[in-house]
Amino acid sequence: MITAIVLAAGKGSRMKSDIQKQFMLLGEYPVVYYSLKVFEESRVDNIILVTGKQDIEYCRHNIVEKYGFSKVSHIVAGGKERYESVKNALKAADESDYIMIHDGARPFITDKMIEDSMEAVKRFNACTVGMPVKDTIKMVDDKQFGVETPDRKYVYQIQTPQTFNKGLLSDCYSKMENDKNIAVTDDTMVVELYSGTKSKVLAGSYKNIKITTPEDIKIAEIFLQNMLT
Ligand code: CTP
Ligand code: MG
């Protein structure tokens, strides 16, 4: 059984908008609609949607029921940090063999990413999509002086979906419970830190952006128009 966790909690502080970014309109539909639609039409068996506690009823009526997303089995309340939102969703994923975690703020996930991820997770237990960086990356010190320049061919921007063997991911999340200073920004980092498992990085797409700052909505509108024409 394959479960998709779609993350749509969080405050969107970098977007500085009145409406939370995951519910902002992109074309005709809210941002989070697009990834739910791709999962609904994919091979995943069920979808767990995570949102703010105060937005659960809104999501149930205005997204899940309105657009007929029949694979959404649970709508759960997120936490303060992203990893807390994932942790809450995992509690509702008892029967799953594979977990695919996706940022609801990434509308341009494709079915190919899901297919490629399922193939890879069976071989490697953990995988993510990502793309090679285009710019030179510089490590800086506390005073903003460049101190190191990693070889660009080894540097990737990591996206979602990220896919894991359920047992592995749950074990790592349990181990993380005892940790005081958690500073993880995605789930490949969780399995790296608490099991040493290396995640296979598969080709995502440069269009698979995360809606984060106001200009991302403009970029997403252009990508959407290209898809529709
Ligand atoms: N997310 C979540 N729970 C949180 C934080 C984030 O479910 N506590 C989700 C967001 O909805 C988003 C994804 O994780 O789909 C990536 O997070 P990010 O882009 O950082 O969203 P926010 O944390 O909401 O934005 P910001 O960091 O700008 O405040
Ligand atoms: Mg954030």
Side-chain angles (χ1 to χ4, degrees):
M1 181 168 167
I2 309 167
T3 296
I5 294 175
V6 175
L7 296 172
K11 291 211 292 272
S13 49
R14 286 170 287 180
M15 182 59 78
K16 300 187 174 73
S17 56
D18 297 337
I19 305 175
Q20 292 167 79
K21 64 179 184 179
Q22 54 273 40
F23 306 130
M24 283 167 82
L25 281 187
L26 178 59
E28 261 181 82
Y29 303 103
V31 165
V32 68
Y33 162 91
Y34 293 90
S35 54
L36 288 171
K37 176 89 174 158
V38 172
F39 282 119
E40 177 79 18
E41 291 173 356
S42 76
R43 64 189 289 181
V44 311
D45 297 292
N46 72 317
I47 303 167
I48 298 173
L49 175 61
V50 189
T51 193
K53 198 170 173 211
Q54 66 290 350
D55 298 320
I56 290 180
E57 282 315 304
Y58 171 84
C59 280
R60 192 184 315 283
H61 292 116
N62 296 62
I63 293 175
V64 176
E65 287 173 4
K66 181 167 176 185
Y67 301 113
F69 291 132
S70 61
K71 287 189 181 173
V72 175
S73 57
H74 302 77
I75 307 178
V76 307
K80 199 161 155 282
E81 300 296 333
R82 186 184 183 282
Y83 70 84
E84 294 172 298
S85 295
V86 174
K87 195 166 73 182
N88 292 352
L90 280 178
K91 289 180 196 148
D94 272 355
E95 290 162 37
S96 312
D97 305 297
Y98 298 103
I99 302 281
M100 193 168 279
I101 300 173
H102 185 64
D103 295 330
R106 287 185 197 272
F108 301 113
I109 179 178
T110 62
D111 194 53
K112 182 168 192 310
M113 292 176 199
I114 296 173
E115 290 294 328
D116 292 350
S117 299
M118 283 315 301
E119 201 178 304
V121 74
K122 288 177 182 163
R123 291 178 64 194
F124 307 112
N125 294 316
C127 66
T128 180
V129 298
M131 292 301 281
V133 295
K134 296 182 187 178
D135 295 324
T136 292
I137 298 295
K138 191 76 75 182
M139 302 296 290
V140 297
D141 63 17
D142 291 332
K143 296 192 172 105
Q144 292 275 114
F145 285 99
V147 289
E148 206 185 318
T149 311
D151 184 342
R152 214 166 51 188
K153 79 168 184 251
Y154 295 119
V155 185
Y156 274 66
Q157 276 176 254
I158 296 305
Q159 308 174 338
T160 69
Q162 302 191 342
T163 311
F164 307 93
N165 186 304
K166 161 80 189 331
L168 169 72
L169 188 66
S170 299
D171 279 356
C172 292
Y173 265 86
S174 309
K175 286 183 187 153
M176 194 165 73
E177 297 267 343
N178 310 320
D179 223 328
K180 291 275 178 299
N181 318 307
I182 309 167
V184 297
T185 48
D186 77 348
D187 298 287
T188 59
M189 206 172 155
V190 175
V191 299
E192 216 167 273
L193 284 172
Y194 297 97
S195 75
T197 303
K198 291 181 186 171
S199 295
K200 181 73 173 175
V201 181
L202 312 168
S205 151
Y206 285 119
K207 283 190 185 161
N208 186 24
I209 58 167
K210 179 160 67 66
I211 308 280
T212 307
T213 54
E215 55 271 26
D216 294 327
I217 283 282
K218 297 236 159 41
I219 296 166
E221 274 164 3
I222 292 169
F223 289 162
L224 185 68
Q225 267 171 15
N226 289 346
M227 268 167 56
L228 298 176
T229 53

Short mmCIF file of all heavy atoms in Angstrom, two decimals, residues 117-180:
data_model
loop_
_atom_site.label_atom_id
_atom_site.label_comp_id
_atom_site.label_asym_id
_atom_site.label_seq_id
_atom_site.Cartn_x
_atom_site.Cartn_y
_atom_site.Cartn_z
N SER A 117 9.84 7.38 -8.60
CA SER A 117 10.13 7.28 -7.17
C SER A 117 9.77 5.89 -6.65
O SER A 117 10.49 5.32 -5.82
CB SER A 117 9.33 8.33 -6.38
OG SER A 117 9.69 9.62 -6.80
N MET A 118 8.66 5.33 -7.13
CA MET A 118 8.26 4.00 -6.66
C MET A 118 9.27 2.95 -7.10
O MET A 118 9.59 2.03 -6.35
CB MET A 118 6.85 3.65 -7.16
CG MET A 118 5.74 4.33 -6.39
SD MET A 118 5.95 4.29 -4.58
CE MET A 118 6.02 2.52 -4.28
N GLU A 119 9.77 3.11 -8.31
CA GLU A 119 10.77 2.15 -8.79
C GLU A 119 12.03 2.24 -7.92
O GLU A 119 12.59 1.23 -7.50
CB GLU A 119 11.10 2.50 -10.24
CG GLU A 119 11.71 1.37 -11.03
CD GLU A 119 11.95 1.82 -12.47
OE1 GLU A 119 10.98 2.26 -13.14
OE2 GLU A 119 13.11 1.76 -12.91
N ALA A 120 12.45 3.47 -7.61
CA ALA A 120 13.69 3.66 -6.85
C ALA A 120 13.55 3.26 -5.38
O ALA A 120 14.48 2.69 -4.80
CB ALA A 120 14.14 5.13 -6.95
N VAL A 121 12.39 3.53 -4.79
CA VAL A 121 12.27 3.23 -3.35
C VAL A 121 12.35 1.72 -3.11
O VAL A 121 12.85 1.27 -2.07
CB VAL A 121 10.98 3.85 -2.74
CG1 VAL A 121 9.73 3.08 -3.14
CG2 VAL A 121 11.10 3.93 -1.22
N LYS A 122 11.89 0.95 -4.07
CA LYS A 122 11.95 -0.51 -3.92
C LYS A 122 13.38 -1.00 -3.94
O LYS A 122 13.71 -2.01 -3.33
CB LYS A 122 11.11 -1.19 -5.01
CG LYS A 122 9.62 -0.98 -4.74
CD LYS A 122 8.72 -1.56 -5.80
CE LYS A 122 7.27 -1.23 -5.44
NZ LYS A 122 6.36 -1.39 -6.55
N ARG A 123 14.24 -0.29 -4.62
CA ARG A 123 15.66 -0.69 -4.68
C ARG A 123 16.48 -0.09 -3.56
O ARG A 123 17.41 -0.71 -3.05
CB ARG A 123 16.28 -0.25 -6.02
CG ARG A 123 15.73 -1.02 -7.19
CD ARG A 123 16.33 -0.52 -8.49
NE ARG A 123 17.79 -0.72 -8.58
CZ ARG A 123 18.56 -0.13 -9.47
NH1 ARG A 123 18.04 0.72 -10.34
NH2 ARG A 123 19.85 -0.36 -9.49
N PHE A 124 16.18 1.17 -3.19
CA PHE A 124 17.09 1.89 -2.29
C PHE A 124 16.49 2.29 -0.94
O PHE A 124 17.16 2.90 -0.11
CB PHE A 124 17.59 3.17 -3.00
CG PHE A 124 18.19 2.92 -4.36
CD1 PHE A 124 17.56 3.37 -5.51
CD2 PHE A 124 19.38 2.20 -4.49
CE1 PHE A 124 18.10 3.13 -6.78
CE2 PHE A 124 19.93 1.97 -5.75
CZ PHE A 124 19.30 2.43 -6.89
N ASN A 125 15.21 2.00 -0.72
CA ASN A 125 14.49 2.33 0.53
C ASN A 125 14.19 3.82 0.76
O ASN A 125 13.32 4.15 1.55
CB ASN A 125 15.23 1.81 1.77
CG ASN A 125 15.27 0.31 1.78
OD1 ASN A 125 14.25 -0.33 1.52
ND2 ASN A 125 16.43 -0.26 2.07
N ALA A 126 14.94 4.69 0.10
CA ALA A 126 14.72 6.13 0.29
C ALA A 126 15.12 6.85 -0.99
O ALA A 126 16.18 6.56 -1.54
CB ALA A 126 15.56 6.65 1.45
N CYS A 127 14.26 7.74 -1.45
CA CYS A 127 14.64 8.52 -2.63
C CYS A 127 13.92 9.86 -2.64
O CYS A 127 12.94 10.05 -1.92
CB CYS A 127 14.34 7.76 -3.92
SG CYS A 127 12.61 7.47 -4.24
N THR A 128 14.44 10.76 -3.43
CA THR A 128 13.84 12.08 -3.57
C THR A 128 14.04 12.54 -5.00
O THR A 128 14.91 12.03 -5.70
CB THR A 128 14.50 13.11 -2.62
OG1 THR A 128 13.87 14.39 -2.80
CG2 THR A 128 15.99 13.28 -2.90
N VAL A 129 13.24 13.51 -5.44
CA VAL A 129 13.57 14.15 -6.70
C VAL A 129 14.34 15.43 -6.40
O VAL A 129 14.21 16.01 -5.33
CB VAL A 129 12.33 14.42 -7.59
CG1 VAL A 129 11.63 13.12 -7.98
CG2 VAL A 129 11.35 15.36 -6.91
N GLY A 130 15.14 15.83 -7.38
CA GLY A 130 15.94 17.04 -7.23
C GLY A 130 16.57 17.38 -8.56
O GLY A 130 16.45 16.62 -9.52
N MET A 131 17.19 18.53 -8.64
CA MET A 131 17.83 18.96 -9.88
C MET A 131 19.20 19.55 -9.59
O MET A 131 19.41 20.14 -8.52
CB MET A 131 16.98 20.03 -10.58
CG MET A 131 15.66 19.52 -11.13
SD MET A 131 15.82 18.19 -12.34
CE MET A 131 16.25 19.11 -13.80
N PRO A 132 20.15 19.42 -10.54
CA PRO A 132 21.47 20.01 -10.33
C PRO A 132 21.35 21.53 -10.18
O PRO A 132 20.51 22.13 -10.86
CB PRO A 132 22.24 19.69 -11.62
CG PRO A 132 21.42 18.72 -12.37
CD PRO A 132 20.01 18.78 -11.85
N VAL A 133 22.14 22.13 -9.31
CA VAL A 133 22.08 23.59 -9.18
C VAL A 133 22.62 24.23 -10.45
O VAL A 133 23.46 23.66 -11.15
CB VAL A 133 22.87 24.12 -7.96
CG1 VAL A 133 22.25 23.65 -6.66
CG2 VAL A 133 24.34 23.76 -8.04
N LYS A 134 22.11 25.42 -10.75
CA LYS A 134 22.57 26.12 -11.96
C LYS A 134 23.67 27.12 -11.61
O LYS A 134 24.54 27.40 -12.41
CB LYS A 134 21.40 26.87 -12.59
CG LYS A 134 20.29 25.95 -13.10
CD LYS A 134 19.19 26.78 -13.74
CE LYS A 134 17.99 25.94 -14.10
NZ LYS A 134 16.91 26.76 -14.68
N ASP A 135 23.60 27.68 -10.42
CA ASP A 135 24.59 28.68 -10.00
C ASP A 135 25.75 27.99 -9.28
O ASP A 135 25.62 26.86 -8.80
CB ASP A 135 23.96 29.67 -9.01
CG ASP A 135 22.87 30.51 -9.65
OD1 ASP A 135 23.01 30.87 -10.83
OD2 ASP A 135 21.87 30.79 -8.97
N THR A 136 26.85 28.70 -9.19
CA THR A 136 27.94 28.24 -8.32
C THR A 136 27.48 28.39 -6.88
O THR A 136 26.85 29.38 -6.52
CB THR A 136 29.20 29.11 -8.57
OG1 THR A 136 29.67 28.82 -9.87
CG2 THR A 136 30.28 28.83 -7.54
N ILE A 137 27.78 27.39 -6.07
CA ILE A 137 27.37 27.43 -4.66
C ILE A 137 28.60 27.75 -3.81
O ILE A 137 29.68 27.21 -4.03
CB ILE A 137 26.78 26.06 -4.23
CG1 ILE A 137 25.51 25.74 -5.05
CG2 ILE A 137 26.49 26.05 -2.73
CD1 ILE A 137 24.32 26.65 -4.83
N LYS A 138 28.41 28.64 -2.88
CA LYS A 138 29.51 29.07 -2.02
C LYS A 138 29.14 28.87 -0.56
O LYS A 138 28.06 29.29 -0.13
CB LYS A 138 29.76 30.56 -2.30
CG LYS A 138 31.00 31.14 -1.72
CD LYS A 138 32.24 30.75 -2.47
CE LYS A 138 32.42 31.48 -3.79
NZ LYS A 138 33.64 30.99 -4.50
N MET A 139 30.01 28.21 0.19
CA MET A 139 29.84 28.15 1.64
C MET A 139 30.48 29.42 2.18
O MET A 139 31.58 29.79 1.76
CB MET A 139 30.56 26.94 2.24
CG MET A 139 30.13 25.60 1.68
SD MET A 139 28.42 25.20 2.02
CE MET A 139 28.54 24.92 3.79
N VAL A 140 29.78 30.09 3.10
CA VAL A 140 30.34 31.33 3.66
C VAL A 140 30.55 31.17 5.17
O VAL A 140 29.97 30.29 5.79
CB VAL A 140 29.43 32.56 3.39
CG1 VAL A 140 29.30 32.81 1.90
CG2 VAL A 140 28.06 32.39 4.03
N ASP A 141 31.40 32.03 5.72
CA ASP A 141 31.58 32.01 7.17
C ASP A 141 30.61 32.99 7.82
O ASP A 141 29.80 33.61 7.14
CB ASP A 141 33.05 32.28 7.54
CG ASP A 141 33.52 33.67 7.10
OD1 ASP A 141 32.66 34.53 6.81
OD2 ASP A 141 34.75 33.89 7.05
N ASP A 142 30.72 33.15 9.13
CA ASP A 142 29.78 34.02 9.85
C ASP A 142 29.86 35.48 9.41
O ASP A 142 28.95 36.26 9.64
CB ASP A 142 30.04 33.95 11.37
CG ASP A 142 29.64 32.59 11.89
OD1 ASP A 142 28.74 31.97 11.28
OD2 ASP A 142 30.24 32.13 12.89
N LYS A 143 31.00 35.85 8.78
CA LYS A 143 31.13 37.25 8.35
C LYS A 143 30.84 37.42 6.86
O LYS A 143 31.21 38.43 6.26
CB LYS A 143 32.54 37.74 8.68
CG LYS A 143 32.80 37.76 10.19
CD LYS A 143 34.07 38.51 10.52
CE LYS A 143 34.22 38.71 12.00
NZ LYS A 143 35.23 37.80 12.60
N GLN A 144 30.22 36.42 6.26
CA GLN A 144 29.84 36.48 4.85
C GLN A 144 31.02 36.49 3.90
O GLN A 144 30.96 37.15 2.86
CB GLN A 144 28.97 37.72 4.57
CG GLN A 144 27.60 37.70 5.19
CD GLN A 144 26.59 36.94 4.33
OE1 GLN A 144 26.11 35.91 4.75
NE2 GLN A 144 26.30 37.44 3.16
N PHE A 145 32.11 35.80 4.26
CA PHE A 145 33.20 35.60 3.31
C PHE A 145 33.10 34.18 2.78
O PHE A 145 32.91 33.24 3.55
CB PHE A 145 34.56 35.80 3.98
CG PHE A 145 34.87 37.26 4.25
CD1 PHE A 145 34.67 37.80 5.51
CD2 PHE A 145 35.35 38.07 3.23
CE1 PHE A 145 34.94 39.13 5.75
CE2 PHE A 145 35.63 39.42 3.47
CZ PHE A 145 35.42 39.95 4.73
N GLY A 146 33.24 34.06 1.46
CA GLY A 146 33.23 32.73 0.87
C GLY A 146 34.42 31.93 1.36
O GLY A 146 35.55 32.42 1.34
N VAL A 147 34.16 30.69 1.81
CA VAL A 147 35.27 29.88 2.31
C VAL A 147 35.45 28.58 1.52
O VAL A 147 36.51 27.97 1.57
CB VAL A 147 35.13 29.55 3.82
CG1 VAL A 147 35.36 30.80 4.66
CG2 VAL A 147 33.78 28.93 4.15
N GLU A 148 34.42 28.20 0.79
CA GLU A 148 34.54 26.93 0.09
C GLU A 148 33.58 26.91 -1.10
O GLU A 148 32.47 27.46 -1.02
CB GLU A 148 34.17 25.80 1.04
CG GLU A 148 34.81 24.46 0.68
CD GLU A 148 34.31 23.36 1.60
OE1 GLU A 148 34.21 23.61 2.82
OE2 GLU A 148 33.99 22.28 1.07
N THR A 149 34.00 26.27 -2.20
CA THR A 149 33.15 26.19 -3.39
C THR A 149 33.03 24.72 -3.80
O THR A 149 33.93 24.19 -4.43
CB THR A 149 33.77 27.00 -4.55
OG1 THR A 149 34.10 28.30 -4.05
CG2 THR A 149 32.81 27.14 -5.70
N PRO A 150 31.92 24.07 -3.42
CA PRO A 150 31.80 22.65 -3.77
C PRO A 150 31.70 22.46 -5.29
O PRO A 150 31.17 23.32 -5.98
CB PRO A 150 30.52 22.20 -3.07
CG PRO A 150 29.80 23.42 -2.64
CD PRO A 150 30.77 24.57 -2.64
N ASP A 151 32.22 21.35 -5.77
CA ASP A 151 32.15 21.01 -7.19
C ASP A 151 30.66 20.91 -7.59
O ASP A 151 29.92 20.12 -7.02
CB ASP A 151 32.86 19.67 -7.41
CG ASP A 151 32.92 19.30 -8.88
OD1 ASP A 151 32.14 19.87 -9.69
OD2 ASP A 151 33.74 18.44 -9.23
N ARG A 152 30.27 21.73 -8.57
CA ARG A 152 28.85 21.86 -8.89
C ARG A 152 28.19 20.54 -9.30
O ARG A 152 26.99 20.37 -9.13
CB ARG A 152 28.70 22.90 -10.00
CG ARG A 152 27.44 23.69 -9.88
CD ARG A 152 27.45 24.91 -10.74
NE ARG A 152 27.81 24.60 -12.10
CZ ARG A 152 28.04 25.51 -13.04
NH1 ARG A 152 27.95 26.79 -12.73
NH2 ARG A 152 28.37 25.17 -14.26
N LYS A 153 28.98 19.63 -9.84
CA LYS A 153 28.33 18.40 -10.29
C LYS A 153 27.82 17.55 -9.12
O LYS A 153 27.01 16.65 -9.30
CB LYS A 153 29.24 17.61 -11.22
CG LYS A 153 30.33 16.80 -10.59
CD LYS A 153 30.92 15.88 -11.67
CE LYS A 153 31.96 14.96 -11.08
NZ LYS A 153 33.33 15.24 -11.47
N TYR A 154 28.27 17.88 -7.92
CA TYR A 154 27.80 17.13 -6.74
C TYR A 154 26.74 17.89 -5.95
O TYR A 154 26.39 17.47 -4.84
CB TYR A 154 28.97 16.81 -5.81
CG TYR A 154 29.99 15.86 -6.43
CD1 TYR A 154 31.31 16.25 -6.61
CD2 TYR A 154 29.61 14.58 -6.82
CE1 TYR A 154 32.25 15.39 -7.18
CE2 TYR A 154 30.52 13.72 -7.39
CZ TYR A 154 31.84 14.14 -7.58
OH TYR A 154 32.75 13.28 -8.14
N VAL A 155 26.29 19.03 -6.47
CA VAL A 155 25.35 19.83 -5.68
C VAL A 155 23.97 19.86 -6.35
O VAL A 155 23.83 20.27 -7.50
CB VAL A 155 25.86 21.27 -5.48
CG1 VAL A 155 24.93 22.05 -4.56
CG2 VAL A 155 27.27 21.26 -4.88
N TYR A 156 22.97 19.41 -5.61
CA TYR A 156 21.60 19.33 -6.11
C TYR A 156 20.66 20.14 -5.25
O TYR A 156 20.83 20.22 -4.04
CB TYR A 156 21.11 17.86 -6.11
CG TYR A 156 21.51 17.14 -7.37
CD1 TYR A 156 22.84 16.89 -7.66
CD2 TYR A 156 20.53 16.73 -8.26
CE1 TYR A 156 23.20 16.25 -8.83
CE2 TYR A 156 20.89 16.08 -9.44
CZ TYR A 156 22.22 15.85 -9.72
OH TYR A 156 22.56 15.23 -10.88
N GLN A 157 19.66 20.72 -5.89
CA GLN A 157 18.54 21.31 -5.15
C GLN A 157 17.53 20.21 -4.94
O GLN A 157 17.11 19.55 -5.90
CB GLN A 157 17.86 22.37 -6.01
CG GLN A 157 18.51 23.70 -5.98
CD GLN A 157 17.81 24.62 -6.94
OE1 GLN A 157 18.34 24.91 -7.98
NE2 GLN A 157 16.61 25.05 -6.62
N ILE A 158 17.16 20.00 -3.70
CA ILE A 158 16.27 18.89 -3.39
C ILE A 158 14.82 19.34 -3.35
O ILE A 158 14.49 20.38 -2.79
CB ILE A 158 16.71 18.24 -2.06
CG1 ILE A 158 18.13 17.64 -2.22
CG2 ILE A 158 15.72 17.18 -1.61
CD1 ILE A 158 18.28 16.65 -3.37
N GLN A 159 13.98 18.54 -4.00
CA GLN A 159 12.55 18.86 -4.10
C GLN A 159 11.74 17.78 -3.40
O GLN A 159 12.29 16.97 -2.65
CB GLN A 159 12.17 18.91 -5.60
CG GLN A 159 13.07 19.81 -6.45
CD GLN A 159 12.78 19.73 -7.95
OE1 GLN A 159 12.21 18.76 -8.43
NE2 GLN A 159 13.17 20.77 -8.67
N THR A 160 10.45 17.76 -3.64
CA THR A 160 9.62 16.62 -3.26
C THR A 160 8.84 16.25 -4.51
O THR A 160 8.73 17.07 -5.40
CB THR A 160 8.63 16.97 -2.11
OG1 THR A 160 7.62 17.87 -2.60
CG2 THR A 160 9.36 17.57 -0.91
N PRO A 161 8.32 15.02 -4.63
CA PRO A 161 8.12 14.02 -3.59
C PRO A 161 9.41 13.34 -3.11
O PRO A 161 10.36 13.19 -3.87
CB PRO A 161 7.19 13.00 -4.25
CG PRO A 161 7.45 13.11 -5.72
CD PRO A 161 7.75 14.57 -5.94
N GLN A 162 9.35 12.92 -1.83
CA GLN A 162 10.40 12.10 -1.23
C GLN A 162 9.72 10.82 -0.75
O GLN A 162 8.67 10.89 -0.10
CB GLN A 162 11.03 12.85 -0.05
CG GLN A 162 11.61 14.19 -0.49
CD GLN A 162 12.48 14.86 0.55
OE1 GLN A 162 12.42 14.52 1.74
NE2 GLN A 162 13.29 15.82 0.12
N THR A 163 10.32 9.70 -1.09
CA THR A 163 9.62 8.43 -0.89
C THR A 163 10.45 7.47 -0.05
O THR A 163 11.67 7.37 -0.24
CB THR A 163 9.29 7.81 -2.27
OG1 THR A 163 8.68 8.81 -3.08
CG2 THR A 163 8.36 6.62 -2.15
N PHE A 164 9.78 6.80 0.87
CA PHE A 164 10.49 5.96 1.83
C PHE A 164 9.74 4.66 2.09
O PHE A 164 8.50 4.63 2.04
CB PHE A 164 10.64 6.69 3.18
CG PHE A 164 11.25 8.04 3.04
CD1 PHE A 164 10.46 9.17 2.89
CD2 PHE A 164 12.63 8.18 3.02
CE1 PHE A 164 11.02 10.43 2.72
CE2 PHE A 164 13.21 9.44 2.85
CZ PHE A 164 12.40 10.56 2.71
N ASN A 165 10.53 3.68 2.45
CA ASN A 165 9.99 2.49 3.05
C ASN A 165 9.37 2.93 4.38
O ASN A 165 10.01 3.61 5.16
CB ASN A 165 11.20 1.58 3.27
CG ASN A 165 10.83 0.25 3.74
OD1 ASN A 165 10.16 0.14 4.75
ND2 ASN A 165 11.27 -0.75 3.02
N LYS A 166 8.11 2.56 4.61
CA LYS A 166 7.39 3.07 5.79
C LYS A 166 8.09 2.73 7.11
O LYS A 166 8.22 3.57 8.01
CB LYS A 166 5.96 2.53 5.78
CG LYS A 166 5.23 2.56 7.09
CD LYS A 166 4.67 3.94 7.37
CE LYS A 166 4.10 4.15 8.75
NZ LYS A 166 3.53 3.08 9.46
N GLY A 167 8.57 1.47 7.22
CA GLY A 167 9.21 1.04 8.47
C GLY A 167 10.44 1.88 8.78
O GLY A 167 10.65 2.34 9.91
N LEU A 168 11.24 2.10 7.74
CA LEU A 168 12.46 2.90 7.90
C LEU A 168 12.12 4.32 8.37
O LEU A 168 12.70 4.83 9.33
CB LEU A 168 13.20 2.95 6.56
CG LEU A 168 14.37 3.94 6.46
CD1 LEU A 168 15.56 3.46 7.30
CD2 LEU A 168 14.80 4.15 5.00
N LEU A 169 11.16 4.94 7.71
CA LEU A 169 10.82 6.33 8.04
C LEU A 169 10.26 6.44 9.47
O LEU A 169 10.65 7.33 10.23
CB LEU A 169 9.81 6.88 7.02
CG LEU A 169 9.52 8.37 7.14
CD1 LEU A 169 10.75 9.21 6.80
CD2 LEU A 169 8.37 8.78 6.21
N SER A 170 9.39 5.51 9.83
CA SER A 170 8.80 5.54 11.18
C SER A 170 9.87 5.35 12.24
O SER A 170 9.85 6.03 13.27
CB SER A 170 7.74 4.45 11.34
OG SER A 170 6.73 4.65 10.43
N ASP A 171 10.78 4.41 11.99
CA ASP A 171 11.87 4.18 12.96
C ASP A 171 12.68 5.47 13.16
O ASP A 171 13.03 5.82 14.28
CB ASP A 171 12.87 3.13 12.42
CG ASP A 171 12.34 1.73 12.65
OD1 ASP A 171 11.28 1.60 13.29
OD2 ASP A 171 13.01 0.79 12.18
N CYS A 172 12.98 6.14 12.06
CA CYS A 172 13.79 7.36 12.15
C CYS A 172 13.03 8.45 12.89
O CYS A 172 13.60 9.16 13.71
CB CYS A 172 14.20 7.82 10.76
SG CYS A 172 15.36 6.70 9.99
N TYR A 173 11.74 8.57 12.62
CA TYR A 173 10.95 9.57 13.34
C TYR A 173 10.88 9.23 14.83
O TYR A 173 10.91 10.14 15.67
CB TYR A 173 9.56 9.75 12.72
CG TYR A 173 9.54 10.91 11.74
CD1 TYR A 173 9.90 10.74 10.41
CD2 TYR A 173 9.22 12.20 12.17
CE1 TYR A 173 9.92 11.82 9.52
CE2 TYR A 173 9.24 13.28 11.29
CZ TYR A 173 9.59 13.08 9.97
OH TYR A 173 9.63 14.16 9.11
N SER A 174 10.81 7.95 15.19
CA SER A 174 10.81 7.58 16.62
C SER A 174 12.12 7.96 17.28
O SER A 174 12.15 8.49 18.39
CB SER A 174 10.62 6.07 16.81
OG SER A 174 9.54 5.63 16.11
N LYS A 175 13.22 7.69 16.57
CA LYS A 175 14.53 8.04 17.13
C LYS A 175 14.66 9.54 17.32
O LYS A 175 15.29 10.01 18.28
CB LYS A 175 15.66 7.52 16.24
CG LYS A 175 15.85 6.02 16.35
CD LYS A 175 17.01 5.55 15.51
CE LYS A 175 17.07 4.04 15.50
NZ LYS A 175 17.71 3.52 14.29
N MET A 176 14.07 10.29 16.42
CA MET A 176 14.18 11.75 16.48
C MET A 176 13.47 12.32 17.71
O MET A 176 13.84 13.38 18.21
CB MET A 176 13.59 12.35 15.20
CG MET A 176 13.94 13.80 14.99
SD MET A 176 13.61 14.32 13.30
CE MET A 176 11.85 14.37 13.29
N GLU A 177 12.45 11.58 18.22
CA GLU A 177 11.70 12.01 19.42
C GLU A 177 12.61 12.38 20.59
O GLU A 177 12.32 13.29 21.35
CB GLU A 177 10.77 10.89 19.92
CG GLU A 177 9.70 10.48 18.95
CD GLU A 177 8.40 11.23 19.18
OE1 GLU A 177 8.25 11.82 20.26
OE2 GLU A 177 7.57 11.22 18.25
N ASN A 178 13.70 11.61 20.72
CA ASN A 178 14.57 11.81 21.89
C ASN A 178 15.58 12.93 21.71
O ASN A 178 16.36 13.22 22.61
CB ASN A 178 15.35 10.52 22.19
CG ASN A 178 14.43 9.33 22.25
OD1 ASN A 178 13.34 9.43 22.80
ND2 ASN A 178 14.86 8.20 21.67
N ASP A 179 15.55 13.53 20.53
CA ASP A 179 16.56 14.54 20.23
C ASP A 179 16.11 15.92 20.66
O ASP A 179 14.97 16.30 20.42
CB ASP A 179 16.82 14.53 18.71
CG ASP A 179 18.28 14.62 18.39
OD1 ASP A 179 18.99 15.25 19.17
OD2 ASP A 179 18.68 14.07 17.35
N LYS A 180 17.00 16.67 21.28
CA LYS A 180 16.61 18.00 21.79
C LYS A 180 16.73 19.08 20.71
O LYS A 180 15.87 19.93 20.58
CB LYS A 180 17.50 18.40 22.98
CG LYS A 180 17.26 17.56 24.22
CD LYS A 180 16.08 18.12 25.03
CE LYS A 180 15.77 17.27 26.25
NZ LYS A 180 15.38 15.88 25.90
#
